[in-house]
Amino acid sequence: MNNPQKIIECKNVFKSFSTKNGITNAVNGVNLSINKGECYGLVGESGCGKSTLSSLICALQKPDSGEILFEGKPVKDEKTFRLHCQIIFQDPYSSLNPKKKIKSIIEEPLIIHKIGKTKLERSKMINEMRTLIGLPPDSLEKFPHQLSGGQRQRVAIASAMILNPEFVICDECVSALDVLIQAQILNLLKTMQKSMNLTYLFISHNLNVVAYMADRIGVMYKGQIIEEKPTDELLSNPEHPYTKTLLQAAGIE
């Protein structure tokens, strides 16, 4: 069997912040790799360092030390990297520009990266993406506040996916939605992963949600990955006491 191709590698990554209470080690020596085509789930309680790690991986922040590789190489050109790596944020209310229509929000990444020679060509790409994410045609002429929370999150997904990236970070991207809409968005992300050959880093404090999405799960606690296993194995045979506590809290026996 061939070894899986690693799309992301974190090697002994550290990131700390100064607070009024002193230095906080948000990411404290993380080592992980994500294989091309898989969904890697990262789970842990709020404040454990998940979102900080995601911002380091997608080059929104720089680590204090350690190395993060994309397809075996460090990121040199962040703008070019954005063509390959995108992030879907938690809050669809604040992640979209309230002054822009939905069509302009989805079009903006295409303009920034000079994709689509004409506005007509970009409009065709936007409509194809709108259909894929399940929004009605009239939604493109609306503003974010005129859409439901689920529709806004679909727009955020479209804005990330329009560049046809290889790797997408989903950072608590369903936690602000009610349970029914959560299920719809999760199924949409699964469908898009298959149709677009995507690799996901799926981050959540909700172990049930991560278990539904992920091929492998890493458990994060106080800035460290304390346990990592294929999903079925982690659920059936957790080893670390904190992992066992998470499973109990999620009602998974």
Side-chain angles (χ1 to χ4, degrees), residues 85-108:
C85 173
Q86 286 286 305
I87 185 167
I88 303 166
F89 293 102
Q90 174 179 355
D91 187 2
Y93 298 87
S94 60
S95 63
L96 304 178
N97 188 332
K99 297 181 180 180
K100 287 190 174 185
K101 290 184 177 181
I102 301 307
K103 184 176 181 178
S104 296
I105 291 172
I106 300 175
E107 184 183 27
E108 186 174 23

Side-chain angles (χ1 to χ4, degrees), residues 205-209 211 235-236 238 242-253:
H205 65 276
N206 187 330
L207 185 53
N208 283 297
V209 169
L235 299 182
S236 62
Y242 179 71
T243 307
K244 294 177 181 178
T245 300
L246 284 181
L247 287 168
Q248 291 171 357
I252 302 172
E253 300 294 340

Side-chain angles (χ1 to χ4, degrees), residues 153-164:
Q153 195 58 292
R154 288 173 189 267
V155 174
I157 293 170
S159 183
M161 300 296 192
I162 194 73
L163 293 174
N164 197 25

Side-chain angles (χ1 to χ4, degrees), residues 123-181:
S123 292
K124 183 180 178 182
M125 297 169 69
I126 292 165
N127 265 302
E128 288 174 352
M129 182 56 66
R130 176 197 60 75
T131 301
L132 185 61
I133 62 169
L135 283 176
D138 64 351
S139 63
L140 293 178
E141 296 301 325
K142 293 182 177 180
F143 292 92
H145 74 272
Q146 295 175 296
L147 303 182
S148 68
Q151 288 176 324
R152 277 191 286 265
Q153 195 58 292
R154 288 173 189 267
V155 174
I157 293 170
S159 183
M161 300 296 192
I162 194 73
L163 293 174
N164 197 25
E166 298 165 56
F167 176 63
V168 178
I169 298 172
C170 306
D171 188 3
E172 297 277 11
C173 67
V174 296
S175 63
L177 307 173
D178 66 44
V179 175
L180 178 61
I181 304 302

Side-chain angles (χ1 to χ4, degrees), residues 2 7 12 30-31 44 65 68 75 88 94 112 123 132 160 178 207 223 237 241 244:
N2 293 329
I7 193 167
N12 205 29
V30 165
N31 292 281
S65 62
I68 298 174
V75 174
I88 303 166
S94 60
I112 290 172
S123 292
L132 185 61
D178 66 44
L207 185 53
N237 186 31
K244 294 177 181 178

Side-chain angles (χ1 to χ4, degrees), residues 105-119:
I105 291 172
I106 300 175
E107 184 183 27
E108 186 174 23
L110 298 175
I111 294 173
I112 290 172
H113 292 279
K114 297 180 172 59
I115 297 173
K117 296 179 180 179
T118 65
K119 194 165 186 68

